[in-house]
Amino acid sequence: MNLINKYYGIFIMNLLHDLKIELVSFFEKNNKDFSLKKYISSLSKPQKNHEINYLLERYINILRRQFSFQKPKNVFISKELQEKITNNILSKDICSTINKIKIELETGIDISSRLSKLIKKFDYDDKMLNDWNIYHFHLSDIDDIKSGFKKRTGELLFVYVPFNSDNVYFLDVSKGHKNKTTFCNLNLLDLINKNWSKLLVPFTLPDGMKPYPCSIKSSKEYLLLRKANINTILPLKNTNKYILSPGFGQTAAGTSTYNKIQTNKIIRTIQLLIKEKISPENIPVKLILKDNYIFIKNLKENNFLRKISII
């Protein structure tokens, strides 16, 4: 029995080593500033003990941030935003760009050039995305050839994308974003509730439950908590409802709680897969990382034992 456990342990180590190689290769290829030696030296002792977990968590973080939207989506527009478009409250250029983004999403065109320029940065965390699952898009149609992104604009389109969904929800357009409360504007959550209340049901506290002794009352208050990586219960305006963060919130280190949970889930899946699938007749195997999936390949039979979704 001990020999069998040792046997399984070796294969777990080999597959996780494959995963590390794949992750490092991705970062070296896609991040000019990434250096494995520099990265390892920057890790704390707990991180070094869980190096593969940390690398995988960073990979999930990048996948979510640069969500390519290369799969056709169903686009929904809030009543409030539609009124601004219909009544010419927004400029013609802004309205035209919003419509263009809608069409691009519906046809599966990559619109990542409208996202933040930091989307590929190894150690960057988008706190709004981590907290609420809300993306922001710049609304220029002018290409910045040097950076590969669209020109930056003061106006931003805020978009809610639920986990594991083909639906995209256009919430509102901000006039500018120099004020940091723009990215923790509680009105955005209210817009989700007003237009598509069912989306927040999984995050809503049971009737009668509320924060003690009181809840936050403004976006400025929430900004202070977010800066300190503190999660809290959120009130919905003009209701008696309170919700948890629809993006699962942040860890004390300022990283994504969802990414941490997903990382642990994937590592555990690989460990359990060994005991379920690996046997003398389907060895050797190799782990392959490709976009949003991890593949466990049987090299002898040239087929796949398992396909694991990352996000």
Side-chain angles (χ1 to χ4, degrees):
M1 188 66 180
N2 289 336
L3 183 60
I4 293 175
N5 288 336
K6 182 178 180 181
Y7 172 81
Y8 284 139
I10 291 172
F11 279 96
I12 291 171
M13 290 174 63
N14 287 344
L15 284 183
L16 293 179
H17 180 68
D18 285 345
L19 178 57
K20 177 182 175 180
I21 291 174
E22 293 277 287
L23 290 167
V24 169
S25 175
F26 169 83
F27 290 126
E28 289 180 338
K29 181 179 179 181
N30 293 280
N31 293 264
K32 294 179 181 179
D33 299 329
F34 180 81
S35 161
L36 181 60
K37 185 176 180 180
K38 183 179 178 182
Y39 156 71
I40 292 175
S41 65
S42 70
L43 294 179
S44 64
K45 189 173 181 180
Q47 288 172 335
K48 286 180 180 178
N49 292 337
H50 301 279
E51 184 181 346
I52 295 174
N53 297 59
Y54 185 68
L55 282 170
L56 180 57
E57 187 181 337
R58 292 290 90 192
Y59 181 74
I60 295 172
N61 189 47
I62 287 177
L63 281 189
R64 286 185 64 209
R65 287 206 319 264
Q66 64 183 32
F67 202 119
S68 66
F69 296 105
Q70 290 174 341
K71 179 181 178 183
K73 298 287 184 179
N74 307 307
V75 178
F76 301 89
I77 301 177
S78 71
K79 292 177 183 177
E80 291 78 4
L81 178 56
Q82 189 59 60
E83 285 178 3
K84 289 182 179 180
I85 295 171
T86 304
N87 297 327
N88 298 318
I89 295 174
L90 299 173
S91 71
K92 289 184 179 179
D93 287 343
I94 293 296
C95 292
S96 175
T97 301
I98 291 173
N99 187 56
K100 185 177 291 185
I101 293 173
K102 179 178 182 292
I103 293 171
E104 289 172 343
L105 287 170
E106 290 173 336
T107 53
I109 296 175
D110 183 0
I111 61 168
S112 57
S113 63
R114 297 186 183 279
L115 294 167
S116 167
K117 290 182 179 180
L118 297 171
I119 58 174
K120 291 186 178 182
K121 187 173 173 59
F122 175 78
D123 57 357
Y124 175 71
D125 280 280
D126 184 331
K127 289 181 177 289
M128 187 180 203
L129 176 62
N130 290 347
D131 205 4
W132 294 349
N133 243 10
I134 292 177
Y135 293 81
H136 63 274
F137 295 104
H138 289 266
L139 295 171
S140 171
D141 280 327
I142 302 173
D143 293 319
D144 182 349
I145 298 175
K146 186 176 180 180
S147 69
F149 288 86
K150 297 291 185 183
K151 291 283 188 180
R152 306 292 88 178
T153 57
E155 299 87 353
L156 297 173
L157 172 65
F158 289 101
V159 176
Y160 177 60
V161 184
F163 291 114
N164 305 314
S165 174
D166 290 329
N167 296 336
V168 172
Y169 300 88
F170 287 13
L171 303 177
D172 200 5
V173 170
S174 70
K175 294 181 180 179
H177 57 274
K178 289 185 178 180
N179 188 333
K180 293 300 181 181
T181 57
T182 300
F183 297 99
C184 59
N185 185 354
L186 296 174
N187 290 330
L188 295 173
L189 299 176
D190 294 322
L191 287 173
I192 299 174
N193 187 53
K194 287 179 183 177
N195 290 271
W196 311 283
S197 59
K198 289 184 178 179
L199 296 177
L200 296 179
V201 169
F203 309 100
T204 302
L205 298 185
D207 290 342
M209 289 188 66
K210 60 182 181 179
Y212 178 84
C214 61
S215 67
I216 59 168
K217 292 180 172 61
S218 70
S219 299
K220 286 184 178 180
E221 288 180 349
Y222 194 72
L223 175 62
L224 295 175
L225 293 176
R226 186 183 279 173
K227 281 183 175 180
N229 303 325
I230 297 173
N231 300 311
T232 189
I233 295 169
L234 301 157
L236 294 175
K237 282 185 180 178
N238 301 318
T239 73
N240 293 320
K241 296 180 180 179
Y242 297 88
I243 63 170
L244 302 174
S245 296
F248 286 21
Q250 306 173 89
T251 68
T255 58
S256 164
T257 301
Y258 173 84
N259 295 350
K260 175 71 73 175
I261 293 171
Q262 196 67 6
T263 295
N264 293 339
K265 180 181 175 182
I266 291 169
I267 296 296
R268 185 60 178 157
T269 298
I270 292 172
Q271 292 171 338
L272 291 175
L273 175 69
I274 302 301
K275 296 185 178 181
E276 293 171 6
K277 299 287 185 181
I278 298 299
S279 59
E281 61 268 18
N282 59 29
I283 294 171
V285 297
K286 181 174 179 60
L287 183 148
I288 300 170
L289 179 69
K290 184 170 177 59
D291 300 328
N292 187 32
Y293 296 97
I294 290 173
F295 297 92
I296 309 295
K297 186 175 184 180
N298 178 346
L299 297 177
K300 184 178 180 180
E301 301 294 335
N302 197 31
N303 57 21
F304 293 104
L305 299 174
R306 190 72 173 270
K307 176 182 176 182
I308 304 170
S309 177
I310 295 177
I311 56 173

